[in-house]
Amino acid sequence: MRHLGLWLKRAGTGALRACTVAAVTMAVPAVWAAAVALGIRWGAGNPWSWLGPFVLTTVGTLALPRPVCRTVRFLVARWTDTVIPAGYRQAPPVTQLSTGYWWNGFGYERTRRDALMDQRRRIRWNDPANWRDLRFTAIAPFTAGLVACVPPAGAAAAVLGLTRPELLGRAVGVLALMVAVASSPYAWRCLVPVAVHFLRPSPSMVLADRVEELTAQRAEATVAQAAEIRRIERDLHDGAQARLVSLGLSLAIAEKLMETDPDQARTLMREARAGATASLTELRELVRGINPPVLNDRGLVDAVRALALDSPLETTVTAALDDCALDPPIESALYFATAELLTNATKHAHATQARISLTRTTTSVLIQVEDNGRGGADITPGGGLAGLRRRLSAFDGTLELTSPTGGPTLATLVVPCA
């Protein structure tokens, strides 16, 4: 009975998935069929009998591929954890020049509206990903779509057959029902290889995207390095260096007052000792900002636990990284990314509780930071989360954010760990 229950559960889930695959992949052919039916209904004498179906077919064929392919990528990732990169070209920023014209990455226009319209038109017609989506919507109905139609078609044939009074009709209905139930757990799986083969970017597109990504990472690393050097110089100049200069002056004055005014000299020496202690504390804080000592001594897990103890949020940490050795740069990137997410939860989300989970998958390290704040966070270009994603991309890492309005917010960091 237990195996029968599991089988029926798999069959039910498979039937729902097969119906979903059939509905998604058959969307464009459904538009074509509707256009043909509309033309037949209007009749040959109606002047719209050919123009209306032609317009409907054209609009449906050109407008549906991207939503259909996005839905297919989502379903494949949801059901099998297989991520198919979209590979769509990103629009460059539209900027106004000193001459008054607007540059959209392709040409100059007089107004920002014209520049955006021209940019969208060029990207839509020149992006290879759009033609790849169009090819998929033409192939999928005759491959994954036909296979996915077997369970619902079998169920429909079973209903028609079992309602017939003839013995042969009922026998056909029972056979159709058996085919529908037996094929349900497997019919939807044909979508995965078809989608992976026809929707993934070509090697040349992957290489071009990788070159652009590495160029952006190099520029980001250069800017970040220069900013870090300026921060260290500023902190040394305004903090420890100024205290050390004051310490030297105090010791020089105390040396002169040693014989004439010993009490004043002892006071100056006490102040100098306090200044030395403050300078040492500032230097330690500066070094901790570069790389926390606990991260060097105890590793990522203990460093994150120490971070949780220092956080004003009620933070719980669960970790399973004992068998994963990470390179120091990766540990540092993950530590500061986690610290930034906790800071955002405190300052912007006004959260009171947070949960940090560190786990190891087959090929990567996964960190999830969840808070009970007000939500509504988004990764906007030029924002802090976008910079965090760029810094992780230097290690082929990713940042995914789920933050509905009202919360909770869940940030997922994934970095390869070979």
Side-chain angles (χ1 to χ4, degrees):
M1 291 297 294
R2 180 173 178 270
H3 294 290
L4 179 61
L6 292 176
W7 171 258
L8 292 177
K9 181 179 179 181
R10 288 182 58 194
T13 303
L16 291 176
R17 292 182 177 181
C19 293
T20 303
V21 171
V24 172
T25 55
M26 294 295 183
V28 174
V31 172
W32 298 344
V36 173
L38 187 62
I40 294 175
R41 181 178 180 182
W42 281 344
N46 193 324
W48 287 95
S49 61
W50 63 272
L51 183 59
F54 174 77
V55 173
L56 180 61
T57 303
T58 303
V59 172
T61 303
L62 296 180
L64 286 178
R66 179 168 288 195
V68 167
C69 293
R70 283 179 172 172
T71 305
V72 168
R73 291 187 184 95
F74 171 77
L75 294 177
V76 171
R78 180 73 177 270
W79 293 342
T80 66
D81 293 331
T82 301
V83 179
I84 304 175
Y88 297 115
R89 288 183 178 176
Q90 300 298 321
V94 176
T95 56
Q96 187 176 19
L97 305 179
S98 58
T99 57
Y101 284 84
W102 291 83
W103 169 254
N104 60 9
F106 303 97
Y108 301 94
E109 299 293 337
R110 290 184 177 274
T111 63
R112 186 176 186 274
R113 178 175 175 273
D114 292 341
L116 289 173
M117 292 178 59
D118 178 70
Q119 184 186 71
R120 284 194 292 267
R121 178 180 60 82
R122 289 177 182 267
I123 290 179
R124 175 169 291 275
W125 290 105
N126 295 330
D127 191 352
N130 291 326
W131 300 105
R132 187 176 65 244
D133 291 351
L134 186 62
R135 180 188 62 179
F136 176 80
T137 55
I139 295 174
F142 304 103
T143 53
L146 284 179
V147 177
C149 286
V150 172
V159 172
L160 293 177
L162 293 175
T163 55
R164 302 286 296 178
E166 299 85 357
L167 181 62
L168 179 61
R170 294 184 178 181
V172 172
V174 172
L175 181 62
L177 180 62
M178 294 175 60
V179 171
V181 174
S183 62
S184 293
Y186 311 104
W188 63 272
R189 297 181 184 275
C190 186
L191 177 68
V192 179
V194 175
V196 170
H197 181 75
F198 290 103
L199 283 183
R200 65 183 178 184
S202 63
S204 59
M205 293 178 60
V206 173
L207 181 60
D209 293 340
R210 185 60 174 166
V211 169
E212 293 181 1
E213 182 181 355
L214 291 176
T215 302
Q217 290 176 7
R218 183 182 62 182
E220 178 72 18
T222 303
V223 172
Q225 182 183 19
E228 186 67 13
I229 291 175
R230 288 195 299 270
R231 183 187 71 82
I232 295 173
E233 291 177 346
R234 182 178 64 252
D235 291 346
L236 287 174
H237 182 272
D238 297 340
Q241 181 178 343
R243 290 186 179 275
L244 290 175
V245 171
S246 176
L247 174 62
L249 293 175
S250 298
L251 290 176
I253 297 174
E255 183 181 3
K256 294 181 179 179
L257 295 176
M258 188 64 69
E259 296 181 357
T260 59
D261 194 349
D263 294 335
Q264 183 66 22
R266 281 193 292 270
T267 301
L268 290 175
M269 292 182 70
R270 283 194 297 269
E271 293 177 356
R273 183 175 61 184
T277 303
S279 299
L280 182 60
T281 302
E282 289 188 0
L283 288 174
R284 286 175 177 171
E285 292 291 335
L286 180 61
V287 173
R288 186 177 295 111
I290 300 173
N291 217 20
V294 67
L295 184 62
N296 296 329
D297 299 337
R298 304 295 299 274
L300 178 62
V301 174
D302 288 336
V304 171
R305 285 176 176 152
L307 188 66
L309 291 176
D310 294 337
S311 174
L313 304 179
E314 182 182 343
T315 307
T316 59
V317 179
T318 58
L321 290 179
D322 296 336
D323 58 343
C324 182
L326 297 176
D327 292 334
I330 297 179
E331 283 191 336
S332 180
L334 290 174
Y335 172 83
F336 285 109
T338 305
E340 185 170 345
L341 291 174
L342 281 180
T343 302
N344 290 343
T346 305
K347 293 176 57 178
H348 306 297
H350 303 292
T352 57
Q353 295 178 348
R355 180 184 61 85
I356 304 175
S357 173
L358 300 91
T359 56
R360 166 76 185 271
T361 63
T362 306
T363 58
S364 60
V365 173
L366 185 144
I367 298 180
Q368 290 184 318
V369 181
E370 184 177 9
D371 65 74
N372 64 343
R374 60 186 180 184
D378 193 14
I379 303 178
T380 57
L385 293 176
L388 179 58
R389 172 179 282 179
R390 288 195 304 270
R391 291 194 294 273
L392 289 177
S393 65
F395 306 98
D396 291 331
T398 59
L399 167 64
E400 299 297 333
L401 187 69
T402 303
S403 182
T405 302
T409 297
L410 175 63
T412 304
L413 313 174
V414 181
V415 174
C417 174

